[in-house]
Amino acid sequence: MTDSWANSIGFDGADLHLEPAAGRGLKAGLAEALREAVRGGRLAPGVRLPSSRSLAADLGIARNTVAEAYAELVAEGWLTARQGSGTRVAPRARPRKGAAAPLVRLPTRQGRATYSLLPGSPDLGGFPRAAWLTAARRALTDAPNEAFGYGDPRGRVELREALAGYLARARGVYADPERIVLCAGFVHGLMLMARVLRARRVREVAVESYGLGVHRGLLAAEGLRTRPLPLDAAGACTPDLSGMAAGAVLLTPAHQFPTGAALTPERRAAAVDWARAAGGVILEDDYDGEFRYDRQPVGALQSLDPDRVVYLGTASKSLAPGLRIGWMVVPPGLLDEVLAARGPVDWTCSALEQLTLAQFITSGAYDRHVRGMRLRYRRRRDQLVAALGGRVAVSGIAAGLHAVLDLPPGTERAVLQAAAWHSLALDGLSGFRHPEADLPPRDALVVGYGTPTDSAWAPTLAALSAALP
C-alpha cells in the first residue's frame, strides 16, 4: 500500500485527493479521509464516488476494505448507495462553517439595482456569438501545433499582424507587428507601463483631471504620483505639461473619459512637443475610438510621433471585456523594457482567443460588427436625448458609449439618491474627479447608454427620467 492517497483516482476517472488519517487501520483511515473530504466541502452533496473495485485498484488495497468503509459512511449518513446510481455523497452532508464551498458570485458594481446606466461597458447582448463561433472553428482548424505551446511573450503573431493592418486602416496607427504587445486589457497594459516608468526613475505621471480612479490607483501602487491636467471643451490642457515635473502623461485624446471632449490638433501638437523636448512618454488610451456619430473620425495621437506615444487599445468596448484582450503599440526604444516587465511567457491571453480574434478581423467580421453596433449605439444616443426632452444639457455625445448630463449646482447627490430609489445604477461626474484637481465644481451624471440590453433599454430610460429634477 502507498503511504498517501493524494493521487488516487475517483469520479470514474477524475482525480480524487484523499489524505489518510495517521495511526489508523486501512478501513478506518480511508473512512476518515472521506469524512474529511465531505466536511471540508471538497466532495459536494450528490457527487458520485468511484466504485469500490476502482478505488481499491487505484489505492492498492483490498476491495472489501473499500466496501466496508463505504458501508460505514452510508450507515452514518455521509453517503448514499442505490442500485444503478452508485455511491454518492448524501444530500444532507454539508461542509462545516468556513470550509471550502462552491464559488459564490460576487456583488456586481450596481449592487441590487434593476437597471444600469453605468459607463464603461458595451451592450453585452450584442456580442456576435454566431460570427465569433465561426471564427473560432476556423481558427482552431487552422491553428499550428505550436500555438498550443507557451508562445511568444508579445502574443500570437497572427493577431499582431491582423491588428497592425486594422489599426493602420481604421485608426491611423503606425503599427509594426513586431512592436505590438498583446495584454489582458488596458489595466494590464497600464500596469506594465507603470513598471517601465518606475524602472526609468519616473516619479510623476500627468493625468486628466477627470478619469478613472482605478487607473490613478494603479499608478500610485507602483510608486508614481499622479498630477492632474486641467480640462475644458478642447480636452486636456497639454500646454501645461511644460510646467510640470511629470515624466509621462496619460491621455484619452479621441474621446476624453468621462467628459467626452476630443483633444484639439493644437493640444495634440503641444503634447508631442512636450514629449520630444522633455524626453517624456505619452500613454494613449483609445478606449472607444471606433464609435463616432456626428463628426469625422479622429485618428490616433500616436500617428504624430510613434517614437514617443504608447498606443493602448482593447476589444472591451468593441466586443466584450470578458475576452480579456488588449494591445499595446510600443515605441522601438521601449519595447525591450515592456517585454522585460511582461515576462518571458504569454500567460495572460488564451492563444485560441487570440487566433479567433485574428480570424474575426481578417475575415471582415470585426468591421461588420463595429458598423452594426455603431448604428445601434447612435440610435440609443438619439433616444436618450429625445427622452430627456431638453430638461438637462447633454454633452460628449459625438462619439463613444456615454453622455454627460449637466445638473443644477448642488443637485448631483440628490439625483443619485433618487436614481437608487428607482433601482437605477448611475455614476456622478464628481466620482471621477482627481482629488487634487483645481477646477470649478460641476454637478453632472455620466450615463453609459451602451450598458443596458435592448430589452431593458426602455424601462431604464423611464427610471432615468423619473430620477431627474
Side-chain angles (χ1 to χ4, degrees):
M1 175 190 156
T2 59
D3 293 330
S4 171
W5 297 328
N7 295 321
S8 300
I9 304 297
F11 300 89
D12 296 324
D15 287 333
L16 172 59
H17 181 90
L18 293 176
E19 293 289 349
R24 301 195 177 200
L26 293 180
K27 186 195 78 170
L30 174 58
E32 183 56 29
L34 287 167
R35 287 191 197 94
E36 184 58 30
V38 176
R39 288 193 196 104
R42 295 188 297 106
L43 292 179
V47 166
R48 182 173 181 172
L49 300 182
S51 67
S52 58
R53 184 189 302 275
S54 174
L55 186 57
D58 293 332
L59 300 181
I61 60 177
R63 180 184 178 187
N64 284 345
T65 301
V66 177
E68 290 172 5
Y70 277 1
E72 180 177 321
L73 295 176
V74 168
E76 294 176 0
W78 292 101
L79 305 178
T80 63
R82 293 186 178 88
Q83 187 69 29
S85 180
T87 303
R88 297 178 180 270
V89 178
R92 295 182 180 84
R94 299 297 179 186
R96 60 174 174 259
K97 186 177 181 180
L103 291 176
V104 177
R105 185 181 298 277
L106 295 174
T108 59
R109 186 180 171 196
Q110 61 265 37
R112 297 180 179 177
T114 304
Y115 311 110
S116 175
L117 286 170
L118 296 174
S121 176
D123 176 4
L124 301 180
F127 185 80
R129 298 174 188 238
W132 186 261
L133 182 59
T134 298
R137 286 172 172 161
R138 180 64 181 270
L140 184 59
T141 300
D142 295 346
N145 291 337
E146 53 91 14
F148 301 99
Y150 289 104
D152 190 316
R154 291 170 296 182
R156 290 299 307 174
V157 65
E158 295 90 342
L159 180 53
R160 289 188 282 117
E161 290 176 345
L163 283 170
Y166 173 78
L167 294 173
R169 169 172 54 82
R171 303 296 301 130
V173 173
Y174 288 91
D176 183 336
E178 297 300 307
R179 293 195 291 108
I180 294 178
V181 178
L182 301 178
C183 52
F186 176 80
V187 168
H188 183 210
L190 183 61
M191 178 186 73
L192 296 178
M193 285 309 307
R195 292 176 182 174
V196 170
L197 294 172
R198 185 184 60 183
R200 287 190 160 212
R201 302 187 182 279
V202 171
R203 294 292 175 262
E204 290 186 358
V205 177
V207 297
E208 295 158 332
S209 288
Y210 285 98
L212 285 173
V214 66
H215 296 167
R216 298 192 295 265
L218 187 151
L219 294 169
E222 293 292 338
L224 301 169
R225 182 183 177 188
T226 59
R227 295 288 300 276
L229 272 175
L231 281 170
D232 57 25
C237 297
T238 52
D240 291 5
L241 286 168
S242 59
M244 294 183 173
V249 60
L250 173 61
L251 297 171
T252 51
H255 188 228
Q256 202 283 323
F257 186 87
T259 67
L263 196 63
T264 62
E266 294 77 16
R267 294 197 177 172
R268 288 174 171 239
V272 171
D273 290 344
W274 163 81
R276 291 170 177 170
V281 177
I282 300 173
L283 308 178
E284 179 177 11
D285 179 5
D286 194 30
Y287 70 98
D288 63 359
E290 293 95 343
F291 299 113
R292 73 272 180 182
Y293 314 115
D294 300 327
R295 70 181 189 200
Q296 291 298 313
V298 178
L301 175 62
Q302 188 260 12
S303 63
L304 295 180
D305 195 338
D307 292 332
R308 290 291 176 187
V309 180
V310 179
Y311 176 90
L312 298 105
T314 78
S316 297
K317 305 299 183 291
S318 58
L319 286 168
L323 291 178
R324 297 289 186 269
I325 298 180
W327 44 86
M328 310 166 63
V329 182
V330 184
L334 287 173
L335 182 58
D336 289 343
E337 295 166 72
V338 169
L339 292 177
R342 197 188 195 292
V345 176
D346 180 16
W347 54 267
T348 58
C349 309
S350 163
L352 290 179
E353 297 292 352
Q354 293 179 42
L355 291 170
T356 300
L357 181 54
Q359 174 65 28
F360 199 70
I361 293 172
T362 56
S363 69
Y366 186 81
D367 284 274
R368 290 191 294 273
H369 172 70
V370 168
R371 286 195 297 270
M373 296 306 292
R374 190 182 295 147
L375 292 174
R376 178 186 295 196
Y377 293 139
R378 177 170 187 160
R379 183 165 55 249
R380 284 196 180 183
R381 182 207 62 172
D382 294 345
Q383 291 169 345
L384 169 65
V385 174
L388 295 173
R391 295 164 62 185
V392 294
V394 185
S395 60
I397 58 174
L401 304 179
H402 73 274
V404 178
L405 279 55
D406 280 290
L407 301 171
T411 63
E412 180 181 304
R413 183 177 180 85
V415 172
L416 292 177
Q417 290 174 340
W421 191 85
H422 287 284
S423 200
L424 172 64
L426 272 178
D427 272 337
L429 183 62
S430 61
F432 298 97
R433 183 187 177 101
H434 193 291
E436 300 176 19
D438 185 17
L439 290 173
R442 182 182 178 187
D443 287 76
L445 302 176
V446 182
V447 173
Y449 54 81
T451 304
T453 61
D454 282 345
S455 61
W457 178 233
T460 300
L461 279 182
L464 173 64
S465 181
L468 291 175

